[in-house]
Amino acid sequence: MNDTILADELGPRGRRRVFIGSIIASILVLAVIAIAIKRFNDNGQFAEEKWRPLTQWSVLKFYLGGLGNTLKAAGAAMVIALIVGGLVALARLARTAPVRWLATLYVEFFRGMALYLLILFCWLGLPRLGVRLDVYWYLVIGLSVYNSAILAEVFRAGILSLDRGQSDAASALGMRYWQAMGLVIVPQAVRRMLPAIISQLVTLLKDTSLGVLIFYEELLRRARLSAEFFHNPVMSVALVAIFYITVNYALSVFATRLEARQRRRYKAGSIKVTGLEQLAVVGAQAESSIT
Amino acid sequence: MDVVFDNLDLFLRGIRTTVSLTLTSYVVAFVIGMVVASFRVSPVPPLRLVGSFYVNTVRNTPLAVLMVLFFFALPDVGILYSAYISAIIVLSAYTGSFIAETIRAGINSVAKGQAEAARALGLTYPQVLRIVILPQALRAVIAPLGSIFIALIKNSALANLISVTELSGTAERLINDTAQPIPLFIAAALAYLVLTIPSGILLGRIERRFAIKR
């Protein structure tokens, strides 16, 4: 189904053109697939010993272990980032100016840098500062700090997107600041932010693969180890890619559905964020004052 | 702080690599994004299928996995490029999938009457897209395209995974050599801010100049 507005009901000539176009496009696609298969075949990628390891239980167990490590790091980082992000968002909206400044500094500093650099620092820097931990924690700390800065922006945008009347009404009812936050503002904001939070968590799950850089044995690292052993990098890394694509695609579909449902239900719609790449927009919308 | 100033030339070289990776990849990604977005709104079903397959696979794969796949696995099937070119190809392909989705959102935001009017004037489908729809669509999505650019500045750090030493990689090497993580880390982080904050301001200007409010 074409959901765009670019073509109305086609006439006979238009239909014929689309039909011819479809045939040409299909032939081109098949040609690309054929070339890929030929390449694979010419380079001996269909040889049995390249694929057999992936059917052996011991190898699969190695991958599943990597998967477990990936999920363990992603899960811990998600929980920590959500908590810290929430606190930082509240601090950015606090009434005491120095608290606001500190929180702003935190967000701008960590949101603006490459996650790669942050994880690297945890791994190379923290031990020299006397903080010796398992590599697992270096990855989790790096992911948590970076994502908490981003989630703080999401939370803040969500809170600011609520009508001012909500907090006015709450104080008119005699609620204190924290009561109004806890009972009126945050529950509504969270509902609006949910799709944005989910897509940020998808990004976080993808970013867990940066563990490969500090030799944390997550999925990608284990795939590389296994690829070195069996000389089958194409299959090993493709397996990891397929895992990520399946999980993230499912989560993205979920987030989109959720967003559509909310738009139907609450009219106002959720705040507009899709994935990390568009997060700066939220920040920009939330505070046109920063630039 | 001495360790930073002593190695200022290395830092500047790292920043230059980050900038050149980012700019080149963004241009290529933009072309990819335009093509894929027009595939996705095309009346030809196989093209739509190719477009959505591309977006859904590439966007949902971690950049690190794409880097490793391209540089360490694809040589096995005879696809072999230098590390720098590989980094640009992977960054462009990844960023292109995000740009494609953004442009598609922009196309969908253009009022229906625009395409109808253009067709009533006798423009063909490619003309409608090129002359009427895309210029309006792009102006509607300047802000998200800008944040994709800023994300690319940061994402280009992953080129280090395939041994292209840019800003983060320079910091990594210097930390390993000098064992002074704090000043080097802060210098590299500030360098990123020096790149991202002015980009943000510039993009804000462009947006105010060109964007259409709906």
Side-chain angles (χ1 to χ4, degrees):
Chain A
M1 195 201 80
N2 195 351
D3 58 347
T4 51
I5 32 68
L6 295 173
D8 8 57
E9 206 52 48
L10 289 168
R13 215 169 55 164
R15 273 207 300 273
R16 199 163 59 232
R17 267 203 218 129
V18 166
F19 182 68
I20 294 170
S22 301
I23 289 177
I24 296 175
S26 310
I27 290 172
L28 286 178
V29 170
L30 290 178
V32 169
I33 295 175
I35 292 172
I37 291 178
K38 189 173 176 308
R39 277 250 158 141
F40 267 63
N41 195 30
D42 289 352
N43 290 287
Q45 293 297 315
F46 287 123
E48 200 214 338
E49 72 266 16
K50 300 252 183 205
W51 293 88
R52 201 178 34 218
L54 297 185
T55 63
Q56 284 166 353
W57 175 235
S58 56
V59 177
L60 282 180
K61 219 164 69 183
F62 186 66
Y63 276 92
L64 286 177
L67 174 59
N69 288 339
T70 292
L71 295 179
K72 225 165 59 186
M78 279 175 195
V79 173
I80 299 173
L82 283 171
I83 297 172
V84 177
L87 294 177
V88 173
L90 288 179
R92 283 203 78 177
L93 297 165
R95 284 167 302 178
T96 333
V99 175
R100 267 203 319 267
W101 296 336
L102 271 180
T104 309
L105 190 68
Y106 179 88
V107 168
E108 292 303 326
F109 186 74
F110 289 115
R111 201 178 60 147
M113 84 168 67
L115 177 58
Y116 182 99
L117 181 66
L118 195 56
I119 293 175
L120 197 73
F121 173 75
C122 293
W123 182 53
L124 293 172
L126 289 185
R128 298 231 164 76
L129 296 174
V131 187
R132 281 183 192 286
L133 299 163
D134 199 51
V135 270
Y136 168 75
W137 285 108
Y138 297 142
L139 179 63
V140 170
I141 293 172
L143 286 171
S144 305
V145 169
Y146 181 77
N147 283 285
S148 64
I150 289 177
L151 285 172
E153 276 305 89
V154 176
F155 291 152
R156 202 172 75 105
I159 291 173
L160 291 179
S161 77
L162 286 183
D163 196 285
R164 225 193 114 77
Q166 295 290 332
S167 55
D168 287 350
S171 43
L173 287 173
M175 289 189 185
R176 290 173 181 286
Y177 178 81
W178 289 110
Q179 282 178 315
M181 271 290 173
L183 295 171
V184 180
I185 308 292
V186 172
Q188 297 187 67
V190 164
R191 206 150 49 204
R192 285 194 185 180
M193 294 176 304
L194 216 49
I197 293 173
I198 292 174
S199 44
Q200 185 54 32
L201 295 184
V202 168
T203 311
L204 195 158
L205 181 61
K206 288 200 295 183
D207 286 343
T208 313
S209 59
L210 276 171
V212 74
L213 120 98
I214 60 173
F215 304 103
Y216 174 63
E217 289 215 3
E218 45 71 69
L219 206 46
L220 181 59
R221 173 84 192 132
R222 290 223 161 162
R224 290 204 61 185
L225 289 173
S226 146
E228 255 164 53
F229 189 76
F230 293 112
H231 303 291
N232 62 349
V234 180
M235 296 80 205
S236 311
V237 185
L239 187 69
V240 175
I242 289 169
F243 161 76
Y244 275 109
I245 291 168
T246 319
V247 172
N248 290 333
Y249 182 67
L251 284 172
S252 314
V253 170
F254 178 63
T256 316
R257 291 246 172 98
L258 199 65
E259 200 179 338
R261 201 188 69 164
Q262 288 190 343
R263 201 171 298 137
R264 271 202 313 281
R265 219 189 250 180
Y266 308 109
K267 293 290 187 309
S270 50
I271 54 166
K272 243 316 192 223
V273 198
T274 30
L276 165 75
E277 277 67 11
Q278 294 183 18
L279 265 162
V281 194
V282 182
Q285 280 164 355
E287 37 165 351
S288 35
S289 56
I290 186 171
T291 41
Chain B
M1 252 11 230
D2 282 351
V3 62
V4 175
F5 292 113
D6 290 347
N7 296 296
L8 209 55
D9 52 330
L10 284 178
F11 260 111
L12 287 178
R13 199 183 307 157
I15 292 175
R16 213 161 53 217
T17 313
T18 295
V19 170
S20 70
L21 275 176
T22 306
L23 290 180
T24 322
S25 306
Y26 196 75
V27 172
V28 181
F30 200 86
V31 176
I32 295 177
M34 285 281 231
V35 172
V36 174
S38 35
F39 276 16
R40 291 207 72 181
V41 299
S42 146
V44 181
L47 290 183
R48 284 209 297 279
L49 208 67
V50 170
S52 60
F53 176 79
Y54 179 83
V55 167
N56 286 326
T57 48
V58 175
R59 203 174 52 150
N60 287 316
T61 315
L63 187 51
V65 173
L66 289 177
M67 285 280 178
V68 171
L69 185 68
F70 192 88
F71 193 66
F72 296 108
L74 291 193
D76 268 24
V77 291
I79 298 175
L80 183 63
Y81 292 98
S82 75
Y84 184 76
I85 300 289
S86 301
I88 284 179
I89 293 175
V90 174
L91 286 170
S92 309
Y94 183 76
T95 309
S97 70
F98 285 91
I99 292 185
E101 273 309 82
T102 308
I103 293 180
R104 191 173 75 117
I107 291 176
N108 285 336
S109 78
V110 176
K112 199 178 155 90
Q114 296 285 334
E116 285 171 352
R119 263 197 313 281
L121 288 174
L123 300 190
T124 62
Y125 179 80
Q127 281 177 325
V128 173
L129 200 58
R130 191 166 47 86
I131 302 175
V132 178
I133 304 295
L134 275 181
Q136 300 186 58
L138 287 179
R139 288 173 65 179
V141 291
I142 291 176
L145 287 179
S147 41
I148 291 177
F149 180 78
I150 291 177
L152 177 60
I153 296 178
K154 299 187 278 170
N155 280 339
S156 66
L158 271 84
N160 287 301
L161 289 179
I162 58 174
S163 71
V164 176
T165 311
E166 46 67 77
L167 181 50
S168 298
T170 309
E172 180 176 8
R173 286 195 183 174
L174 289 175
I175 291 175
N176 275 329
D177 290 352
T178 63
Q180 294 192 45
I182 309 266
L184 290 166
F185 168 70
I186 290 177
L190 288 180
Y192 272 112
L193 292 179
V194 164
L195 293 176
T196 53
I197 290 179
S199 310
I201 294 174
L202 190 68
L203 290 163
R205 287 246 171 90
I206 296 176
E207 194 194 342
R208 270 195 295 283
R209 174 90 173 67
F210 290 107
I212 4 171
K213 294 269 176 273
R214 287 192 190 281

